[in-house]
Amino acid sequence: AFTEADEKAERSKMTKAEKAEAKADMYGQVHPNETPELIASSLVRLEEELEKLPGEARVGYSRAVERCPDLVGEKDKLKFLRCEVFNADLAALRLTKYWDKRIEIFGEERAFLPMTLDGAFRDDVSAIKQGFMRCDDAMMDTNRRRVLFVDPSLLDHSKHERSSVCRSIWYITHAVLEDETTQKRGVVFVAYPHRAKYEQFDRALVKMNITSIRGCIPVRVGAFHICQPPIFFKVIFPLLKLLMGKRLRARIKVHTGSEEDLVNRMGKFGIGADAVPSELGGNLILNQEAWVERRREAGL
């Protein structure tokens, strides 16, 4: 577990640059000016960095190149470069880890299919509709970062296997990554565990979810807001922080208080009331099932 003492020690050792980056991410990430020259040269450097990696680190990626070359083209590689702010070496590592994890989570049969409801997620529609993680076009902060809403109280382990729930997170994150601005500016997580019960906490699922986001799926995480945590949260929070790693830990904010307090706090971080779900006292009413059906009709 990662204790409060560990956290204080870690923060005390953070450089000024690391602290400044974490604070900036909370309010809106900075992205370089993308020119055709930057994109072209970065794609070349990414290929060079991929070649430098040992063969065993490129097994999943190499299989993807062979099995689904249309899913590892320049457009897809650009997502990883944007996620790592055009650091080609980091993008290469994330890209190879991504394919290893994708094969692990989806299995050989579905890993190389398009990331659509009728493709890789054909058996996970029910888990996606469950709404453990939700998004909406209106859920965007003032810096045009997409907001992802997480409600652990909606988990039903009797209906969905943890692997299917994890894949539902892959679907939501890939859905928001269809937007080029999200690729550049990242996302903000808002978690609302207030109504969750201790028996809904699944350590293995938590690990699967965090390792999918951390250094894997090409999504920049600006902040992770935890709103109105339940009493038992103090028991599991050290484990969550341990799994999240240093970079994500520095972006956690825990909020308590009334619904009005929560809406005001979100507003200070650029998330207005119209982008805050009604569960937290905001104006946005989410309809996950309708959102999923719209995407299915669009072939997404």
Side-chain angles (χ1 to χ4, degrees), residues 86-103:
F86 287 88
N87 289 297
D89 54 342
L90 297 179
L93 287 173
R94 184 177 284 265
L95 176 58
T96 52
K97 288 181 180 178
Y98 169 87
W99 277 104
D100 287 341
K101 179 64 71 172
R102 180 161 163 170
I103 294 170

Side-chain angles (χ1 to χ4, degrees), residues 6 26-27 38 48-49 55 64 84 86 91 103 142 156 162 177 195 222 232 240 263 282 284 288-289 291 294 296:
D6 293 330
M26 286 284 183
Y27 295 94
L38 174 64
E48 293 172 347
E49 293 297 334
E84 297 295 352
F86 287 88
I103 294 170
T142 53
D156 188 340
R162 66 169 62 99
L177 285 171
R195 299 178 297 188
F232 69 81
L240 292 177
V263 172
L284 182 62
Q288 182 78 347
E289 186 159 348
W291 179 82
R294 286 197 300 272
R296 188 203 288 274

Side-chain angles (χ1 to χ4, degrees), residues 130-162:
Q130 176 181 235
F132 168 60
M133 180 183 287
R134 286 173 278 171
C135 69
D136 187 273
D137 292 341
M139 291 180 70
M140 192 175 294
D141 70 7
T142 53
N143 287 288
R144 294 190 65 198
R145 295 184 298 180
R146 297 296 291 270
V147 178
L148 300 179
F149 183 57
V150 181
D151 186 350
S153 73
L154 296 179
L155 286 173
D156 188 340
H157 302 306
S158 68
K159 293 183 178 179
H160 305 104
E161 296 180 354
R162 66 169 62 99

